[in-house]
Amino acid sequence: TIGTATPGNARAFIGFTAPASEGSSPITAYTATCNPGTVTGTATFSPVTVSGLTNGTTYTCAVTARNAVGASAPSATTTVTPSTAPTLVLIGVVSRKSHGGLGPFDIPVDTAPAITGLVSVEPRSIGTGHAIVFRFNTAISNAGSIAIVDGASVSVGATANASTNDVIVTIPVFADNKRASLTLTGVNGTLNPPPVSMGFLVGDVNNTRSVTASDISGVKARSGQTSSASNFRFDVNASGAISASDISAVKARSGLVLP
């Protein structure tokens, strides 16, 4: 389902909602096509960045999904007009880790208000720290300030740094099996995005907010594989390979439920 298209400088960010069913084969990529000019961009989750657009030109864009069977029919369309000085907008949040020098591999974080409590979960171990990336539609010169509290309203130490269109929040210490609320303020001196809620539960590779036999079997089925865009969630220690260590880590947490 097509969502909101956000303008950038000579680019656009095309939001969409993924289909409820992938059919007979997992979806491997989404492609946004913008006309005039049939300009495309590809991503594994929303939004899709389409670069090479002309500022001041209004484009009509649609999204298709692709799996091993082929491409889907296109979504409905949305329009967007890139600009040299677009209004600063948050386009997404991801949890990012590099797996043994591979990657980086990003897990999208749901930025909708946490009314239901069904937050996105980071299933990988903290390692040297969690990196939560706030992605914007234009360059960031001032990262602003970050405030983080856990599910018990205890403050958590973190830093925020600007990197091109991103603000990268680094959380050096955080206990497993907890929720967190992240509030970023003063981005480029003016923008205060809504707070973002997420969960941290090592081994919850299926994002069910609990560690079950399904998570264990999922990691076992991929044992021996090198981490890639299609399987990195199962490399819970982010070593770059799915191994007995990952299986053991998930087994050790079997039965845990995110509070």
Side-chain angles (χ1 to χ4, degrees):
T1 303
I2 196 69
T4 301
T6 303
N9 184 3
R11 63 183 60 189
F13 306 90
I14 315 302
F16 63 90
T17 300
S21 172
E22 296 183 315
S24 60
S25 176
I27 292 171
T28 55
Y30 296 90
T31 298
T33 302
C34 296
N35 285 295
T38 316
V39 188
T40 63
T42 301
T44 55
F45 54 83
S46 179
V48 179
T49 302
V50 180
S51 301
L53 303 180
T54 301
N55 290 331
T57 297
T58 297
Y59 290 85
T60 300
C61 307
V63 176
T64 57
R66 176 171 291 277
N67 62 13
V69 179
S72 72
S75 69
T77 60
T78 188
T79 59
V80 62
T81 306
S83 166
T84 54
T87 300
L88 183 64
V89 175
L90 177 70
I91 61 168
V93 180
V94 299
S95 182
R96 175 173 296 169
K97 288 187 185 295
S98 182
H99 290 235
L102 303 173
F105 297 122
D106 294 345
I107 292 176
V109 176
D110 188 357
T111 57
I115 297 172
T116 64
L118 301 182
V119 296
S120 303
V121 173
E122 169 57 80
R124 298 169 291 185
S125 60
I126 189 169
T128 57
H130 289 304
I132 312 302
V133 183
F134 289 72
R135 305 166 63 206
F136 295 87
N137 63 326
T138 192
I140 302 301
S141 57
N142 180 351
S145 301
I146 184 68
I148 303 177
V149 294
D150 66 15
S153 298
V154 176
S155 295
V156 178
T159 59
N161 294 285
S163 177
T164 59
N165 286 24
D166 298 336
V167 173
I168 302 176
V169 174
T170 303
I171 308 173
V173 179
F174 194 78
D176 187 37
N177 199 24
K178 286 184 178 291
R179 293 175 183 257
S181 177
L182 298 84
T183 303
L184 190 62
T185 56
V187 181
N188 279 6
T190 59
L191 185 66
N192 301 322
V196 173
S197 295
M198 60 182 298
F200 298 87
L201 178 54
V202 173
D204 178 21
V205 297
N206 294 327
N207 199 53
T208 60
R209 293 160 292 281
S210 61
V211 182
T212 67
S214 178
D215 297 298
I216 297 170
S217 62
V219 177
K220 282 183 175 179
R222 293 162 179 81
S223 183
Q225 296 179 3
T226 299
S227 298
S228 68
S230 63
N231 68 11
F232 70 87
R233 291 182 67 102
F234 301 89
D235 178 17
V236 296
N237 62 7
S239 67
I242 303 169
S243 67
S245 296
D246 299 299
I247 298 171
S248 296
V250 180
K251 282 184 174 180
R253 290 162 176 81
S254 181
L256 287 180
V257 177
L258 189 70

